[in-house]
Amino acid sequence: MNRLPRKMSQLLLVLAFFVVALPASAKLNAFACEPEWAELVREIGGDKYRVFSATNAFQNPHFIEARPSLIAKVRRADLLVCSGAELEIGWLPLLLRQSANPNIQTDKPGYFMAAMQVSRLEIPQHLDRSHGDIHADGNPHVHLDPLRLISIAKKLSQRMAAIDPDNSAYYSLRFKLFRRQLNKQLNQLAPLIAQLEGQKVVVYHKSWSYLLDWLDMTAVADLEPVPGVAPSSSYLVKLLKQIRQQKPAFIMVAAYQDQKAAKWLAKKSGLPLVVLPYTIGGNDSSNNLVELFADTLEQMVQQGLN
């Protein structure tokens, strides 16, 4: 019989007490820019929050139209959770301005930018458009480092408590449950982590920098010549020569990214092409954040190394 650890059982009992003992109240509204942050709101906010995600796993979060329907959602939000670090710079400022919602403007508790809660990689020394679509605050794709994700989850629980102090103990407890579940999953994935450590790969965009940093892996080539610029035929030929010398293990792309160039390179080089979910809903096996890490690592090992 599969039994829950004693501490986990105790946390669940305390959470059940909160659900039964506290009076019912109207749900707060959260607007998330990306699916990973919508899921984190569900994990920490539980039944106290109703959450909407502006994008899904098959959309590039850099480029979204600021539709009237999104403005209406932002107007009703008590909490805004996005990646930040300029990932949504092309559309989020317009949503904020048009919504005229004072609760989620940049200096209010309802404004929560996940990437700005942790240290960031690839902060440029100087900005130059010839280097492509780079961000002054560094790489915003922080959610695929589980250690950073736990830090963000803790700060999100504290922010929720500041907005809704009557339920502060509830948010704190749900954060502890989430941290425990994610750490348990990472312990179970330790054999896969060991296999991936030190491997070299080809990536598409800087989407994977935090995942590779956490796994101690190296991106030896990028399908984009510079961030945000699609590869040309001549660039791909040059890339093919480069990877034949550096011998990466596989090519990794996100479900939402154009796979035409990656398929060409995989065919010419003989390298496995691994299409990863990247975020919640990127495939049928990534329905929450714990599953996302499990599926990502399993695919990298099974399709990339075997």
Side-chain angles (χ1 to χ4, degrees):
M1 182 177 177
N2 186 20
R3 294 182 176 177
L4 289 170
R6 184 176 179 182
K7 287 187 176 180
M8 174 74 83
S9 299
Q10 291 172 338
L11 287 172
L12 289 172
L13 283 173
V14 175
L15 182 61
F17 166 79
F18 277 107
V19 171
V20 173
L22 292 178
S25 58
K27 287 186 177 182
L28 297 167
N29 290 311
F31 180 99
C33 290
E34 290 86 25
E36 59 269 24
W37 306 128
E39 183 59 24
L40 192 61
V41 170
R42 293 187 191 98
E43 291 282 0
I44 309 301
D47 62 1
K48 309 302 178 189
Y49 271 88
R50 180 187 300 107
V51 61
F52 170 82
S53 178
T55 59
N56 62 49
F58 300 97
Q59 291 177 293
N60 186 337
H62 295 83
F63 309 109
I64 298 298
E65 182 183 355
R67 306 185 303 274
S69 59
L70 294 181
I71 295 172
K73 292 287 187 182
V74 173
R75 186 172 293 134
R76 292 191 292 271
D78 302 287
L79 173 65
L80 176 87
V81 183
C82 300
S83 293
E86 298 185 347
L87 176 62
E88 304 94 355
I89 195 170
W91 52 281
L92 183 57
L94 180 59
L95 292 184
L96 288 171
R97 189 164 57 249
Q98 293 294 322
S99 75
N101 181 346
N103 297 322
I104 44 83
Q105 299 301 319
T106 56
D107 58 343
K108 300 298 182 183
Y111 181 87
F112 186 91
M113 297 294 109
M116 305 310 287
Q117 311 301 319
V118 292
S119 62
R120 294 172 303 286
L121 303 175
E122 299 163 359
I123 296 177
Q125 296 298 311
H126 63 277
L127 293 176
D128 186 337
R129 295 307 298 173
S130 67
H131 296 162
D133 185 19
I134 57 176
H135 305 285
D137 290 324
N139 189 321
H141 306 287
V142 295
H143 70 283
L144 287 177
D145 175 353
L147 304 182
R148 283 181 169 87
L149 183 62
I150 288 172
S151 295
I152 293 167
K154 183 177 183 178
K155 292 186 177 181
L156 182 60
S157 71
Q158 295 168 344
R159 188 65 62 88
M160 287 179 170
I163 295 171
D164 179 23
D166 288 347
N167 288 307
S168 59
Y170 176 85
Y171 301 129
S172 176
L173 186 59
R174 287 193 65 92
F175 159 68
K176 292 174 182 175
L177 280 171
F178 171 70
R179 180 177 60 186
R180 184 177 295 276
Q181 290 169 350
L182 184 53
N183 282 332
K184 179 182 177 183
Q185 180 66 278
L186 296 179
N187 287 335
Q188 293 174 346
L189 293 171
L192 302 184
I193 294 171
Q195 291 184 65
L196 290 166
E197 184 177 347
Q199 296 286 347
K200 296 184 290 187
V201 292
V202 179
V203 298
Y204 195 137
H205 193 61
K206 300 293 184 181
S207 309
W208 310 104
S209 297
Y210 291 92
L211 177 68
L212 299 184
D213 183 65
W214 170 60
L215 291 170
D216 195 19
M217 297 174 64
T218 304
V220 295
D222 192 326
L223 278 155
E224 292 181 324
V226 294
V229 176
S232 64
S233 298
S234 60
Y235 175 75
L236 287 174
V237 171
K238 179 181 176 182
L239 196 61
L240 180 60
K241 294 178 180 176
Q242 179 184 341
I243 65 175
R244 280 173 173 163
Q245 295 175 342
Q246 296 179 317
K247 303 186 185 306
F250 56 91
I251 302 166
M252 50 195 292
V253 301
Y256 76 83
Q257 292 169 331
D258 186 354
Q259 296 164 26
K260 183 178 178 181
K263 288 179 178 177
W264 181 90
L265 191 64
K267 181 178 180 180
K268 293 295 182 180
S269 65
L271 292 176
L273 172 60
V274 183
V275 181
L276 298 168
Y278 178 71
T279 188
I280 306 302
N283 62 22
D284 292 339
S285 301
S286 301
N287 298 304
N288 58 54
L289 290 162
V290 172
E291 289 182 2
L292 176 63
F293 282 101
D295 183 74
T296 296
L297 269 59
E298 286 168 0
Q299 287 203 60
M300 290 171 75
V301 170
Q302 293 171 7
Q303 297 184 33
L305 301 185
N306 295 324

